[in-house]
């Protein structure tokens, strides 16, 4: 689904550098994009493929195909079966089908409706032992029998390589074929195609290195030790050596190697021993509204729905002003350390202290939207929404009676006696409703019954910092361990609507190859916090002169200690709480302007460059290109907003070379050096 934004009169799309690279003769080419997540939602690569499809189809038309595994349920619900428009593709499919392998073609029912070719893994499983032998003979990579995911990826790769062989035998020299492979699961197809010397251009994209993800999941001090890891030893200890071999072989076999961010490029250089040729940032499919300030209206509407939930969740303890309440949130996979939930919770404790010491009348309600193991909704949470609804019904009943009596009195030309316009029964009903809101326990921190409450990382740290939603706390926490849905009886909102209603997204990740969550906030005009260890944060630092002025706060987790990063995050959030309503509205307008920078219509050019480079390396006689030429976007930076004062104190920089003014701003934070939990201390990258 395309994310909606307004058509801002102050949009900076006109300052984006023009695309001057020579266009490819797509009518003489066929482009195939191979990934395990084509029509098969597993993680973030699905979002990349789905959102990028529209611009790729616009460029390539019927010469663009996606390839992946066939799953019957996904095919029936997401794909419209049809014949491929190219007869050579049909003949290549038939060659596999006649040999007992099932291949399906259709249009994926997403924006752009790209053609998809899906291979039935199960129908070709009987060839697995033979293909394992081929893989060993060609590149000395062996796969264990008990790793089903690796075995399935080999079956898919063998079918893809077989398909390409049949296709190019049909096509001859023209049109030329480009194969773009995503992640190690698709890597076997690239390896086998190159080993069999199939004449085609190949691109391989890693969205995160396999070993890097495993190391960070184990709380390793990853970035301080990038150059010190024995890659083979670490992979072997984690029983993923064969997978890492597939990934590394695909990287080195590809004509062009790409990754999604500069920080992942550094990681790949150490983990995979090849520097990426092109960085291809992830974009979003941005849809523009005709109304200029529509996104501000959507924010108000969605915020009102969140406020209704808050009224129910905090019934009996609603002693704070909802008009002076800010909603922060963190969302994503439940990777407590990788996603930065550890320093976020510590920063919330310090923010709570600052708000109380400075007697700030602002309240912050923080949502943790991270799926965890639960067995059902919390009874107290459901009761809160029921009590809220009962109060709402009671108020409407009394209001209707009051209105009717007032109306009758005015018709008679009388000013009603306000003491008699409500009778004793009405007061009794209202008193009973008030008594029903009495509560002898604190509002729950979590909305669900957690299966492993005692050892859950978020709840354990909530107990440590003591934020239990008491009346004195200016920071309240709500842990929603389930993805949001409009059909939920508790918080009936889709994720997009929920994000629009919040004031700030906080994503202080330690390991985040790209980071779609802050990007989605930006497109919807919601300020966010990210880090310079996330791909999104690195991209913003590179392309925006003053990210904080546009509502993108970048915490330095690369060159500062965990304690310093925590203080910086606390200062960002405290400064945000001190903004006036007008300042927050202006900042949302600025944030929304960056949508053009994250649109696939702009970021798609990096993929175009990668394909052109691959063709040049595979067919240098046909496709000329200066290998030393750089993209026109390199060195481009969004200018600072004109309304921001040209002062070093206007924003807090995330570089290690900060100003004296910034040090002074941090004094309030350093007052509260509570015992810091054991955390990673990144100082730099070798």
């Amino acid at each position: 689904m395309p994310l909606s934004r307004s058509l801002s009169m102050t949009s900076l799309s006109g300052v984006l550098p023009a695309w001057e690279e020579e266009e490819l003769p797509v009518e003489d080419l066929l482009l195939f994009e191979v990934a395990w997540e084509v029509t098969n939602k597993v993680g973030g690569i699905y979002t990349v493929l789905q959102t990028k499809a529209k611009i790729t189809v616009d460029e390539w038309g019927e010469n663009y195909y996606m390839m992946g595994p066939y799953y019957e349920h996904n095919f029936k619900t997401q794909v419209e079966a049809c014949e491929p428009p190219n007869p050579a593709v049909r003949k290549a499919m038939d060659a596999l089908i006649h040999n007992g392998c099932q291949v399906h073609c259709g249009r994926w029912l997403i924006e752009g409706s790209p053609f998809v070719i899906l291979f039935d893994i199960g129908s070709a499983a009987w060839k697995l032992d033979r293909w394992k032998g081929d893989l060993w003979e060609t590149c000395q990579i062996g796969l264990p029998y008990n790793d089903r995911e690796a075995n399935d990826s080999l079956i898919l790769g063998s079918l893809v390589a077989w398909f390409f062989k049949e296709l190019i035998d049909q096509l001859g020299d023209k049109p030329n074929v480009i194969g773009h492979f995503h992640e190690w699961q698709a890597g076997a197809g690239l390896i086998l195609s190159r080993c069999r010397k199939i004449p085609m251009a190949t691109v391989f994209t890693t969205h995160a290195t396999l070993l890097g993800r495993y190391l960070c999941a184990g709380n390793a001090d990853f970035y301080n030790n990038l150059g010190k890891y024995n890659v083979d030893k670490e992979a072997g200890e984690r029983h993923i050596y064969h997978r890492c071999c597939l990934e590394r072989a695909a990287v080195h076999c590809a004509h062009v190697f790409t990754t999604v961010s500069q920080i992942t490029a550094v990681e790949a250089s150490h983990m995979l021993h090849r520097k990426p040729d092109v960085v291809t940032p992830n974009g979003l499919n941005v849809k523009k509204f005709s109304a200029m300030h529509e996104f501000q209206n959507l924010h108000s509407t969605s915020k009102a729905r969140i406020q209704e939930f808050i009224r129910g969740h905090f019934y009996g303890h609603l002693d704070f002003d909802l008009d002076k309440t800010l909603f922060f949130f963190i969302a994503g996979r439940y990777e407590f350390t990788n996603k930065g939930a550890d320093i976020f919770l510590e920063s919330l404790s310090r923010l709570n202290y600052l708000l109380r010491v400075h007697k700030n009348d602002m309240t912050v309600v923080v949502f943790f939207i991270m799926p965890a193991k639960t067995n059902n909704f919390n009874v107290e949470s459901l009761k809160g929404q029921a009590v809220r609804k009962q109060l709402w019904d009671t108020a409407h009943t009394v209001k209707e009676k009051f209105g009717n009596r007032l109306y009758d009195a005015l018709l008679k030309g009388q000013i009603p006696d306000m003491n008699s316009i409500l009778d004793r029964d009405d007061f009794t009903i209202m008193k009973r409703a008030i008594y029903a809101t009495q509560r002898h326990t604190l509002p729950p921190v979590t909305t669900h019954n957690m299966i492993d409450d005692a050892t859950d990382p978020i709840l354990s740290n909530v107990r440590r910092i003591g934020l239990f939603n008491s009346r004195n706390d200016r920071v309240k926490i709500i842990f929603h361990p389930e993805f949001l849905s409009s059909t939920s009886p508790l918080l009936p909102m889709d994720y997009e609507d929920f994000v629009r209603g919040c004031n700030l997204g906080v994503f202080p990740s330690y390991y985040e190859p790209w980071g779609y969550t802050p990007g989605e906030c930006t497109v919807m005009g919601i300020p966010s916090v990210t880090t310079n260890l996330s791909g999104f944060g690195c991209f913003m630092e590179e392309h925006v002169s003053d990210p904080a002025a546009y509502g993108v706060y970048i915490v330095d987790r690369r060159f500062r200690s965990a304690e310093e990063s925590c203080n910086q995050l606390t200062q960002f959030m405290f400064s945000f709480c001190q903004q006036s309503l007008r300042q927050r509205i202006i900042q949302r307008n600025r944030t929304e302007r960056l949508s053009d920078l994250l649109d696939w219509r702009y970021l798609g050019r990096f993929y175009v460059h990668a394909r052109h480079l691959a063709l040049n390396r595979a067919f240098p006689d046909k496709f000329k290109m200066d290998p030393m030429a750089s993209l026109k976007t390199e060195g481009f930076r969004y200018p600072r907003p004109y309304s921001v004062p040209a002062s070093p104190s206007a924003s807090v920089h995330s570089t290690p070379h900060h100003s004296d003014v910034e040090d002074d701003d941090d004094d309030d934070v350093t007052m509260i050096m509570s015992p810091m939990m054991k955390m990673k201390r990144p100082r730099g990258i070798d």
Side-chain angles (χ1 to χ4, degrees):
M1 177 181 178
L3 296 172
S4 304
R5 59 156 292 200
S6 73
L7 182 60
S8 172
M9 289 182 68
T10 54
S11 171
L12 297 179
S13 58
V15 305
L16 292 176
W19 179 243
E20 298 179 7
E21 186 163 323
E22 182 181 351
E23 292 186 2
L24 292 174
V26 294
E27 65 279 359
D28 296 328
L29 297 168
L30 287 177
L31 172 62
F32 293 87
E33 206 154 359
V34 187
W36 192 260
E37 297 194 29
V38 172
T39 75
N40 177 38
K41 187 171 186 178
V42 178
I45 301 174
Y46 179 91
T47 304
V48 176
L49 297 170
Q50 185 188 48
T51 56
K52 185 170 64 67
K54 176 67 166 59
I55 62 141
T56 313
V57 170
D58 288 345
E59 179 188 0
W60 288 79
E62 294 184 346
N63 288 0
Y64 173 58
Y65 297 82
M66 291 186 180
M67 304 169 75
Y70 169 82
Y71 292 98
E72 184 177 8
H73 174 73
N74 293 343
F75 190 82
K76 288 183 176 180
T77 56
Q78 300 184 48
V79 180
E80 179 186 12
C82 67
E83 289 292 314
N86 192 309
V89 173
R90 178 71 263 177
K91 290 178 181 178
M93 290 173 54
D94 289 340
L96 272 67
I97 293 170
H98 292 155
N99 281 278
C101 304
Q102 294 301 312
V103 186
H104 304 265
C105 182
R107 282 189 178 272
W108 191 3
L109 299 179
I110 57 175
E111 192 168 6
S113 301
F115 285 101
V116 291
I117 299 172
L118 306 176
F119 300 90
D120 190 332
I121 304 296
S123 69
W126 59 280
K127 291 179 176 286
L128 177 60
D129 289 339
R130 175 187 159 192
W131 286 335
K132 277 188 176 182
D134 291 344
L135 185 66
W136 175 257
E137 290 175 5
T138 54
C139 47
Q140 304 293 294
I141 298 176
L143 303 184
Y145 73 92
N146 59 346
D147 188 344
R148 179 169 180 178
E149 187 175 5
N151 290 330
D152 285 350
S153 70
L154 175 59
I155 296 173
L156 175 64
S158 300
L159 290 169
V160 168
W162 187 1
F163 172 86
F164 281 138
K165 176 68 168 62
E166 297 290 343
L167 175 66
I168 290 173
D169 286 346
Q170 293 289 333
L171 294 173
D173 293 336
K174 195 174 182 180
N176 292 120
V177 173
I178 306 172
H180 190 149
F181 301 79
H182 293 265
E183 285 295 307
W184 71 271
Q185 293 99 324
L190 190 157
I191 297 166
L192 294 170
S193 297
R194 294 284 281 152
C195 288
R196 294 168 187 172
K197 299 182 179 180
I198 299 174
M200 59 184 290
T202 56
V203 181
F204 183 78
T205 297
T206 181
H207 296 257
T209 69
L210 193 60
L211 183 58
R213 205 178 274 284
Y214 271 80
L215 286 169
C216 287
N219 294 330
D221 188 3
F222 184 61
Y223 292 101
N224 277 342
N225 296 287
L226 265 178
K228 302 174 185 177
Y229 286 115
N230 183 329
V231 175
D232 292 340
K233 177 177 177 290
E234 297 289 348
E237 290 177 351
R238 289 160 178 79
H239 308 291
I240 57 169
Y241 178 71
H242 54 286
R243 296 187 180 190
C244 290
C245 287
L246 283 174
E247 180 183 42
R248 191 162 52 198
V251 165
H252 287 273
C253 284
H255 291 104
V256 171
F257 171 44
T258 79
T259 189
V260 296
S261 63
Q262 292 291 351
I263 194 70
T264 312
V266 175
E267 174 189 342
S269 298
H270 288 88
M271 297 289 109
L272 301 173
H273 306 304
R274 181 177 176 182
K275 182 180 178 181
D277 301 294
V278 185
V279 172
T280 52
N282 292 334
L284 289 163
N285 185 14
V286 179
K287 178 183 177 182
K288 296 185 177 181
F289 283 163
S290 57
M292 287 189 298
H293 299 293
E294 183 67 18
F295 80 99
Q296 295 281 12
N297 297 332
L298 291 172
H299 169 73
S300 299
T301 303
S302 297
K303 185 177 180 180
R305 294 171 64 186
I306 296 175
Q307 288 174 334
E308 282 301 294
F309 168 79
I310 295 299
R311 289 186 176 99
H313 192 82
F314 288 93
Y315 82 92
H317 289 261
L318 198 65
D319 54 352
F320 51 92
D321 186 352
L322 283 177
D323 290 332
K324 295 182 178 180
T325 299
L326 299 176
F327 300 126
F328 295 0
F329 80 100
I330 182 174
R333 288 189 301 272
Y334 197 172
E335 298 175 2
F336 182 71
T337 307
N338 284 356
K339 298 297 182 184
D342 49 359
I343 75 162
F344 186 29
L345 281 163
E346 179 66 23
S347 297
L348 289 175
S349 174
R350 300 179 183 193
L351 175 65
N352 184 55
Y353 176 86
L354 288 177
L355 292 174
R356 291 171 63 179
V357 165
H358 288 269
K359 301 187 184 305
N360 195 307
D361 59 355
M362 192 67 72
T363 300
V364 176
V365 177
V366 184
F367 290 87
F368 286 76
I369 312 295
M370 291 180 160
K373 293 182 179 179
T374 64
N375 55 24
N376 215 328
F377 292 106
N378 187 316
V379 173
E380 191 65 23
S381 297
L382 290 171
K383 179 183 175 182
Q385 300 308 312
V387 169
R388 177 194 63 78
K389 188 176 185 306
Q390 182 183 20
L391 276 173
W392 176 262
D393 293 340
T394 300
H396 271 263
T397 301
V398 173
K399 183 180 74 171
E400 188 174 351
K401 287 183 179 180
F402 180 93
N404 289 335
R405 291 167 186 167
L406 177 63
Y407 176 62
D408 290 339
L410 293 176
L411 282 175
K412 295 175 183 178
Q414 302 172 355
I415 298 296
D417 182 0
M418 301 308 293
N419 294 321
S420 62
I421 199 166
L422 293 178
D423 56 29
R424 182 180 296 272
D425 290 340
D426 295 327
F427 283 102
T428 300
I429 291 172
M430 289 189 289
K431 287 178 181 179
R432 288 181 61 182
I434 292 172
Y435 290 156
T437 65
Q438 292 182 351
R439 187 185 228 168
H440 303 293
T441 60
L442 293 175
V445 169
T446 179
T447 58
H448 291 59
N449 294 322
M450 303 293 293
I451 289 179
D452 201 0
D453 179 288
T455 60
D456 180 81
I458 289 179
L459 296 182
S460 297
N461 278 272
V462 167
R463 297 185 192 102
R464 181 184 63 80
I465 61 179
L467 286 180
F468 298 118
N469 295 337
S470 65
R471 293 183 183 274
N472 294 328
D473 289 332
R474 301 273 38 92
V475 174
K476 320 284 186 180
I477 291 179
I478 300 175
F479 179 23
H480 189 281
E482 194 176 72
F483 285 128
L484 297 172
S485 170
S486 58
T487 59
S488 170
L490 196 63
L491 183 56
M493 297 182 72
D494 287 327
Y495 178 73
E496 181 182 337
D497 294 331
F498 173 80
V499 172
R500 287 189 182 281
C502 289
N503 299 99
L504 183 71
V506 185
F507 314 101
S509 303
Y510 182 78
Y511 185 78
E512 191 74 76
W514 176 250
Y516 259 122
T517 40
E520 290 166 340
C521 287
T522 302
V523 168
M524 291 185 266
I526 303 300
S528 63
V529 177
T530 183
T531 73
N532 58 358
L533 289 181
S534 74
F536 176 82
C538 290
F539 180 80
M540 284 298 169
E541 279 192 320
E542 180 183 358
H543 291 281
V544 180
S545 296
D546 187 0
Y550 286 97
V552 179
Y553 301 94
I554 302 175
V555 175
D556 187 354
R557 297 199 66 181
R558 183 171 176 179
F559 300 107
R560 294 188 181 189
S561 69
E563 181 74 16
E564 292 168 329
S565 299
C566 190
N567 287 334
Q568 187 183 22
L569 175 58
T570 306
Q571 187 62 42
F572 282 156
M573 294 190 294
F574 183 61
S575 299
F576 189 86
C577 292
Q578 292 178 309
Q579 290 183 358
S580 66
L581 175 62
R582 177 178 175 82
Q583 288 172 322
R584 292 198 302 272
I585 291 173
I586 291 172
Q587 189 177 59
R588 282 198 298 272
N589 282 325
R590 291 177 184 161
T591 303
E592 187 268 344
R593 290 183 211 167
L594 296 180
S595 297
D596 292 318
L597 193 60
L598 299 174
D599 198 331
W600 274 122
R601 289 175 298 173
Y602 171 66
L603 296 180
R605 62 184 63 185
F606 294 95
Y607 278 85
V608 174
H609 180 70
R611 294 171 197 140
H612 199 163
L613 187 59
L615 285 167
N616 171 254
R617 292 178 178 177
F619 310 105
D621 295 334
K622 290 185 180 180
F623 300 93
K624 304 294 183 183
M625 181 181 183
D626 181 4
M628 303 303 294
S630 61
L631 278 170
K632 297 297 182 184
T633 55
E634 292 183 5
F636 165 74
R637 289 169 70 85
Y638 251 53
R640 287 165 53 88
Y642 295 120
S643 55
V644 174
S647 166
S649 63
S651 62
V652 181
H653 299 286
S654 60
T655 67
H657 309 293
H658 48 287
S659 65
D660 294 335
V661 176
E662 182 180 328
D663 286 332
D664 293 338
D665 291 341
D666 286 343
D667 285 346
D668 285 335
V669 184
T670 54
M671 291 166 51
I672 47 171
M673 295 302 181
S674 61
M676 188 66 175
M677 52 191 160
K678 290 184 179 180
M679 303 168 75
K680 298 184 287 287
R681 185 182 177 87
R683 281 293 186 185
I685 294 180
D686 295 332

